[in-house]
Structures are given as structure tokens and as C-alpha cells.
């Protein structure tokens, strides 16, 4: 299934677009299910330079919020920039004002030497560029990145309501863009924090569902458990975590944040967030488990060889084991080193050359035994009949894990995983839907049976899809009864540069598409909000 992209149409994913003053009608081919009523909301970068100043990294462009509305078989498309501090100040001053993930914001050239000198000691102004995801808290919706700032938005009008600082509610320095949301509306997330005696740790925070008193649930946020850090001064980068009815799983990878660099005056050496990452070449990966309800850490030391981790696929309990399914990238080098826009916009041969050197993707299943007996030292503790994953108790009381590979193809990633989350999140499941990355270029949608490893693929030449969102049929009987939604750009093929694709989740066959006459840049994550 080796597809090539010599025409380089994928470069359109990283092109600045304008927001829309009002929703536009999409041209539908095929038949949109009558039960599909609501909005697909997605986030991504939409402004890749300010005047003549470019952003350098995939995660730097200013946040653009997209919405496809479905109503009685009709589809409209709308988008607005999120009015973050980073965006508003850039628009006002016509320059990059806030340092982004991979782009340093130079001090104001109009200020005199004295005020510039003093601004060196202000410390870092942390970005609020909410380009990664959107999620609900109570009845509110927030766009987010991975810092302490999240931005409340109106899911109907896409207007920006207000910036919220998580530090004001709970003890974290930031939070991931991948909270877990339980069916009652409880939100769990994880973030770095300062733990006991100045050492670093990771806090799991819980935001309760909306109560009868209608008070903002954010005011009732609390820390439920703290995971220790493998290195007291260097926390690992954390992008997501695992949650089951009874357990929380945190995977601590060797991609580390050097706090001395992070806290030192960036403006003295023109630094950005990317400059603060380093790899620990010897630790491998540590996995931690806590009991969710009691907030109690399990004193078990799980270890395995090095990988990068961004997305958990799913996690579930079975018979005294935790089954943890992950999208991994092998090795300790940081994958984000390969996501500079210059790399992603390169010609196809160069894109391939770069990806050859990068960590290689693999979807894996790890199995963590929850009960451990010293008598079993040297033995594989995994007794589940359906997996080849192993967990070996070593004499130093660590448990060494070896995975079962559930998807692997040379430089072909199964990434941006989604499942039937409402019914199967944290529970035994069969199907995952993913975005296929071909040398980092998103060129297919893939359904994976995690039990049999069977795959179904949707792919078209010179077409570049986004994360597939599964929407279950309202009367679903089976796990995969429903549709999969993805935004696809097809810059080469005729007048319509982009479309919303609707696939039958059973076999990934096309049900319908809704074409628009504007380009749509890359989006990362989002959700379907039922009407």
C-alpha cells in the first residue's frame, strides 16, 4: 500500500487561510444519514506567519476553530480564529508577540533599551494558543493547548468567551489536551507540578460534573493522586494517559523537560519550548498505576525499552491485568524534532529522507499485572490467553514489559486513534480508528481490529485526511455501528479543495462527502457534539 506524493499537495495543510464571516453551504454527494445531527468541532493552526515573521513549528500557527454542522442531510462549514492573547496581540502589534512552541518572539523593537533590559527579567509569558483540541467541562466548551491556559469558546458561534488559567483552580503547571471525560461528565487530566521538597511530580486532576447548583465545575477541581517523577529536576513530556473504571495509567517516557532551561530567561538566548526538551538515553520507559477511587499509588515498578508516546488508544482491566494500548514511536529521540514546518513542507523525496531517520511508529499492547508474588521472579506473569505481551518479574522487583505489536508498517503510523469512547472507553473493546501517516504525511484513514489485527483502509490519491471521529448510531447494537467523520483536503483534484468525509464505520466505505470551496489547513483533534 505504498502510496507516493510527488506532487506535494500535502503542503496545502500548512498554508494560512482566512476565517469566514458566516457559515458556507457544503455541496453534498452521497446520502447523509438522517440521524447524524450536530456539529463536528476541530482545532488546528490557521495562521502560519504574522506579516513577514514566520512560525517555525507545526504547533506554532495561531489557533483556528472549525465547525461542520449537520442538519436534515444538509451541511455547513464555518471557522473562526480563537481570540487568544497570542492572536489578539499579534494582530494589534503586527508581529509575533508571544513565544510559541518552536518560535521565539523577539522583544518589541519599538521599546527603548531600558524597558527591553527589564523585560529580560519578567520571565516567560506562557502561550495560550489553543490549537490542539476542544472538550466539554460541564455545559461549557474549551479550546486548549498544553499550557495552564485554556480558552472557553461558544460551540455554536465559535466566539471566544474568556481565557481560563488552570493554576488559579488547582496545583498544576499545565495540563494535556487529552482529558478523559466520563459519561457523567467528570473530567480527568494530568499535568506537571512541583511535588514535595522541590522535586517534580505529576498531578491527576478531577473536575466534577455540573451539579444542581449550576456552579462552574472548575471551582471544584481537585488533585486526586500524584505520580512521582523518575528525575526530580526533569519531568517527562506527557501528552495523554490511560483511565479505566478503577485505575489510572501514566506512561513516563524518556523525553524530558529541562527545567533549568525552561525557567531561565529565554529572552537572553532567544529560546522557545522546543529548546527545553532533551532525551534521557538510559531510563527507557517507566509505567505507573494508581487506584482511581482511593487515589492510591500502586507500588509496582513497570519498565520497558524507550519510546515516545503521544496517544493512548484505550486501556482496560481483565482478570487482574491492565491492558494498555498505545501509539508508540520507537527510541528516545523526540519525534517533534521532525515536525518543523520546513520539514513538513519539503518536497516528497526530502520528506521521505527525513522520516527515514526519525523514530519508527508502532501500535503496541502492553499488559500490566496488578498482583505480584516474589516467588514468581524470573517468570512471565501474563496469563491472558489472547495476547503475546509479557511481563517478567526481575530480581530487583521491577517488572519488565514486552509488547504485543498490534499495527506496524515501515514509516507508516497508525496515529490520532479514536474508539467508540462513550461505550468502550476504559473497557474491553475490538476496534480503533486512526489516521495513517506515511512518512508523517496523513494520507489514509484506517480501522484496526485490535484482537485479530485486521485493517480496513480509506485512501484516495493526493488526498490528505484528518483524525477520524467515530459517531455511534443512536440505536447501535454493535461496537462499530456508526459513521467515521474526517476533514480531507484534495488540492490537486478540481475546483473543490476540501471536503468533510463520512464513512461507514463497519467497512470504511464512503457514505457521503460534503465539499467546500475553501482550503482547510491541518487540524489535530476535536469532537462531535450532538444536536
Amino acid at each position: 500500500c505504498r502510496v507516493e506524493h510527488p506532487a506535494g499537495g500535502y503542503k496545502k495543510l500548512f498554508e494560512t487561510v482566512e476565517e469566514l464571516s458566516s457559515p458556507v453551504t457544503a455541496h453534498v454527494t452521497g446520502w447523509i444519514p438522517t440521524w447524524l445531527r450536530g456539529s463536528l468541532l476541530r482545532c488546528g493552526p490557521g495562521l502560519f506567519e504574522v506579516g513577514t515573521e514566520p512560525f517555525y513549528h507545526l504547533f506554532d500557527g495561531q489557533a483556528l476553530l472549525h465547525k461542520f454542522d449537520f442538519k436534515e442531510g444538509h451541511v455547513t462549514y464555518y471557522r473562526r480564529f480563537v481570540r487568544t492573547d497570542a492572536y489578539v496581540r499579534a494582530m494589534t502589534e503586527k508581529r509575533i508577540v508571544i513565544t510559541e512552541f518552536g518560535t521565539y518572539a523577539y522583544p518589541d523593537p519599538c521599546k527603548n533599551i531600558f524597558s527591553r533590559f527589564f523585560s529580560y527579567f519578567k520571565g516567560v509569558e506562557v502561550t495560550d494558543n489553543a490549537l490542539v483540541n476542544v472538550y466539554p467541562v460541564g455545559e461549557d466548551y474549551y479550546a486548549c493547548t498544553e499550557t495552564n491556559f485554556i480558552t472557553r469558546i461558544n460551540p455554536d458561534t465559535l466566539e471566544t468567551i474568556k481565557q481560563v488559567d488552570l493554576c488559579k483552580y488547582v496545583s498544576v503547571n499545565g495540563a494535556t489536551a487529552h482529558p478523559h471525560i466520563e459519561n457523567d461528565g467528570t473530567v480527568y487530566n494530568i499535568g506537571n507540578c512541583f511535588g514535595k521538597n522541590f522535586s517534580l511530580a505529576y498531578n491527576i486532576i478531577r473536575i466534577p460534573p455540573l451539579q444542581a447548583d449550576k456552579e462552574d465545575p472548575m471551582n471544584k477541581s481537585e488533585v486526586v493522586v500524584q505520580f512521582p517523577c523518575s528525575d526530580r529536576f526533569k519531568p517527562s513530556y506527557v501528552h495523554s494517559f490511560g483511565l479505566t473504571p478503577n485505575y489510572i495509567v501514566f506512561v513516563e517516557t524518556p523525553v524530558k523537560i529541562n527545567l533549568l532551561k525552561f525557567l531561565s530567561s529565554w529572552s537572553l538566548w532567544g529560546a522557545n519550548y522546543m529548546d527545553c526538551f532533551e532525551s534521557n538515553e538510559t531510563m527507557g520507559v517507566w509505567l505507573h498505576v494508581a487506584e482511581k477511587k482511593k487515589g492510591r499509588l500502586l507500588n509496582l515498578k513497570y519498565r520497558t525499552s524507550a519510546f515516545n508516546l503521544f496517544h493512548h488508544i484505550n486501556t482496560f482491566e481483565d482478570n487482574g491485568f491492565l491492558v494498555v494500548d498505545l501509539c508508540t514511536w520507537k527510541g528516545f529521540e523526540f519525534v517533534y524534532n521532525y515536525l518543523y514546518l520546513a520539514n513538513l513542507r519539503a518536497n516528497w523525496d526530502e520528506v521521505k529522507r527525513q522520516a527515514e531517520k526519525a523514530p519508527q511508529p508502532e501500535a503496541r499492547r502492553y499488559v500490566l499485572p496488578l498482583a505480584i508474588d516474589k516467588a514468581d521472579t524470573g517468570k512471565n506473569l501474563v496469563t491472558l490467553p489472547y495476547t503475546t505481551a509479557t511481563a517478567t518479574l526481575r530480581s530487583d522487583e521491577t517488572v519488565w514489559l514486552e509488547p504485543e505489536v498490534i499495527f506496524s508498517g515501515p514509516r507508516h503510523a497508525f496515529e490520532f486513534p479514536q474508539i467508540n469512547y462513550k461505550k468502550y472507553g476504559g473497557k474491553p473493546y475490538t476496534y480503533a480508528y486512526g489516521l495513517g501517516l506515511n512518512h508523517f504525511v496523513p494520507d489514509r484513514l484506517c480501522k484496526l481490529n485490535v484482537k485479530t489485527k485486521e485493517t480496513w483502509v480509506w485512501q484516495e490519491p493526493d488526498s490528505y485526511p484528518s483524525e477520524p471521529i467515530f459517531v455511534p448510531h443512536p440505536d447501535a447494537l454493535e461496537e462499530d455501528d456508526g459513521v467515521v467523520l474526517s476533514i480531507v483536503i484534495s488540492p490537486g483534484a478540481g475546483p473543490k479543495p476540501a471536503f468533510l468525509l463520512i464513512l461507514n464505520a463497519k467497512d470504511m466505505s464512503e457514505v457521503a462527502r460534503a465539499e467546500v470551496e475553501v482550503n482547510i489547513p491541518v487540524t489535530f483533534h476535536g469532537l462531535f457534539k450532538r444536536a
Side-chain angles (χ1 to χ4, degrees):
C1 75
R2 173 70 67 212
V3 173
E4 303 286 333
H5 301 285
Y10 51 83
K11 297 175 191 182
K12 281 279 196 206
L13 289 165
F14 317 111
E15 241 172 54
T16 292
V17 295
E18 294 188 343
E19 61 182 12
L20 295 170
S21 52
S22 58
V24 294
T25 304
H27 174 257
V28 174
T29 52
W31 184 75
I32 291 179
T34 45
W35 58 264
L36 188 66
R37 296 184 55 240
S39 312
L40 176 70
L41 292 167
R42 295 189 58 74
C43 285
L47 181 75
F48 294 89
E49 62 287 310
V50 179
T52 57
E53 300 183 14
F55 289 112
Y56 292 107
H57 200 273
L58 176 60
F59 303 132
D60 294 349
Q62 297 301 287
L64 185 59
L65 192 54
H66 307 256
K67 175 168 71 103
F68 278 93
D69 269 328
F70 304 87
K71 193 174 175 181
E72 277 111 51
H74 297 286
V75 182
T76 59
Y77 170 63
Y78 189 43
R79 65 181 177 217
R80 301 284 301 188
F81 282 102
V82 185
R83 267 44 178 193
T84 57
D85 281 0
Y87 178 81
V88 171
R89 291 172 66 181
M91 292 300 100
T92 307
E93 301 194 30
K94 299 185 175 40
R95 63 185 190 92
I96 297 170
V97 181
I98 304 285
T99 292
E100 297 291 355
F101 195 72
T103 303
Y104 171 66
Y106 285 91
D108 185 351
C110 306
K111 285 202 179 133
N112 69 39
I113 188 73
F114 292 108
S115 56
R116 276 174 43 196
F117 178 79
F118 283 110
S119 74
Y120 281 134
F121 300 99
K122 266 216 313 274
V124 183
E125 280 195 275
V126 173
T127 180
D128 61 345
N129 181 25
L131 80 164
V132 184
N133 202 358
V134 53
Y135 61 89
V137 176
E139 289 175 349
D140 301 328
Y141 283 79
Y142 291 90
C144 67
T145 175
E146 299 182 316
T147 65
N148 53 298
F149 294 117
I150 60 176
T151 306
R152 194 174 149 208
I153 55 104
N154 179 322
D156 302 316
T157 65
L158 305 189
E159 285 171 310
T160 301
I161 299 170
K162 65 168 182 175
Q163 181 199 75
V164 171
D165 182 355
L166 292 169
C167 294
K168 297 215 162 70
Y169 297 95
V170 69
S171 166
V172 283
N173 300 329
T176 77
H178 293 285
H180 276 281
I181 299 174
E182 297 187 318
N183 288 337
D184 68 356
T186 306
V187 176
Y188 285 86
N189 208 340
I190 187 170
N192 298 120
C193 66
F194 291 102
K196 297 180 185 55
N197 57 32
F198 278 111
S199 62
L200 265 292
Y202 312 88
N203 277 344
I204 295 280
I205 57 176
R206 173 169 58 215
I207 309 170
L210 192 66
Q211 305 295 313
D213 65 12
K214 292 283 187 197
E215 196 202 334
D216 182 356
M218 295 288 291
N219 293 324
K220 300 173 181 170
S221 322
E222 53 176 359
V223 173
V224 285
V225 64
Q226 186 167 93
F227 288 109
C229 187
S230 62
D231 175 330
R232 34 180 304 202
F233 298 116
K234 293 178 183 174
S236 292
Y237 174 68
V238 51
H239 191 94
S240 66
F241 64 103
L243 189 72
T244 72
N246 298 297
Y247 296 96
I248 301 164
V249 178
F250 165 50
V251 179
E252 193 175 19
T253 71
V255 176
K256 292 289 187 180
I257 299 163
N258 182 328
L259 255 134
L260 292 174
K261 281 190 184 174
F262 195 85
L263 298 174
S264 68
S265 194
W266 287 9
S267 43
L268 285 175
W269 49 292
N272 56 54
Y273 296 81
M274 273 298 286
D275 295 323
C276 299
F277 289 103
E278 57 187 48
S279 294
N280 180 316
E281 302 187 6
T282 56
M283 70 172 278
V285 167
W286 298 17
L287 293 87
H288 307 267
V289 177
E291 290 177 7
K292 188 179 92 174
K293 295 185 177 76
K294 295 196 186 89
R296 192 173 69 90
L297 229 43
L298 294 195
N299 188 25
L300 295 169
K301 297 181 169 63
Y302 303 101
R303 302 286 183 267
T304 190
S305 46
F307 58 75
N308 283 221
L309 169 68
F310 308 103
H311 301 122
H312 280 249
I313 305 172
N314 199 14
T315 316
F316 62 89
E317 306 162 23
D318 186 1
N319 243 27
F321 296 93
L322 282 173
V323 179
V324 181
D325 291 352
L326 309 172
C327 295
T328 68
W329 297 79
K330 301 181 230 179
F332 49 71
E333 195 200 353
F334 196 20
V335 170
Y336 287 6
N337 291 343
Y338 293 87
L339 302 183
Y340 282 94
L341 291 167
N343 285 21
L344 299 173
R345 289 169 172 154
N347 292 330
W348 178 237
D349 286 335
E350 178 61 19
V351 164
K352 285 198 291 187
R353 211 176 59 78
Q354 287 287 335
E356 302 286 327
K357 302 188 292 192
Q360 294 307 303
E362 194 163 78
R364 294 176 170 181
R365 167 164 288 181
Y366 287 92
V367 178
L368 283 52
L370 293 166
I372 285 172
D373 181 351
K374 271 214 185 88
D376 289 327
T377 302
K379 296 194 179 74
N380 169 31
L381 309 175
V382 180
T383 54
L384 298 177
Y386 53 79
T387 182
T388 54
T390 61
T392 307
L393 182 59
R394 300 195 290 190
S395 50
D396 62 0
E397 293 186 23
T398 59
V399 179
W400 182 263
L401 306 175
E402 287 293 342
E404 171 185 359
V405 175
I406 53 181
F407 180 90
S408 190
R411 286 158 297 284
H412 265 162
F414 177 92
E415 256 291 352
F416 294 86
Q418 289 285 326
I419 61 168
N420 183 340
Y421 183 82
K422 216 168 170 54
K423 263 208 158 128
Y424 294 86
K427 300 187 178 72
Y429 75 117
T430 306
Y431 301 111
Y433 307 87
L435 179 62
L437 304 181
N438 173 1
H439 299 76
F440 296 116
V441 171
D443 70 355
R444 62 194 194 280
L445 296 169
C446 186
K447 175 186 184 178
L448 172 66
N449 180 323
V450 297
K451 295 174 176 167
T452 66
K453 305 180 178 63
E454 184 181 2
T455 57
W456 296 259
V457 171
W458 178 91
Q459 185 164 41
E460 275 184 12
D462 300 312
S463 297
Y464 305 99
S466 70
E467 170 190 62
I469 301 274
F470 175 80
V471 184
H473 190 287
D475 310 311
L477 296 172
E478 297 179 271
E479 181 181 342
D480 56 355
D481 281 345
V483 295
V484 166
L485 306 180
S486 176
I487 299 176
V488 184
I489 71 157
S490 49
K496 301 271 197 282
F499 57 94
L500 186 285
L501 178 66
I502 306 180
L503 302 179
N504 181 341
K506 286 269 179 215
D507 61 1
M508 300 298 274
S509 62
E510 182 170 334
V511 173
R513 62 178 66 184
E515 300 178 305
V516 294
E517 313 218 357
V518 288
N519 182 38
I520 302 180
V522 63
T523 57
F524 300 128
H525 300 290
L527 55 81
F528 185 77
K529 176 180 177 281
R530 288 193 186 272

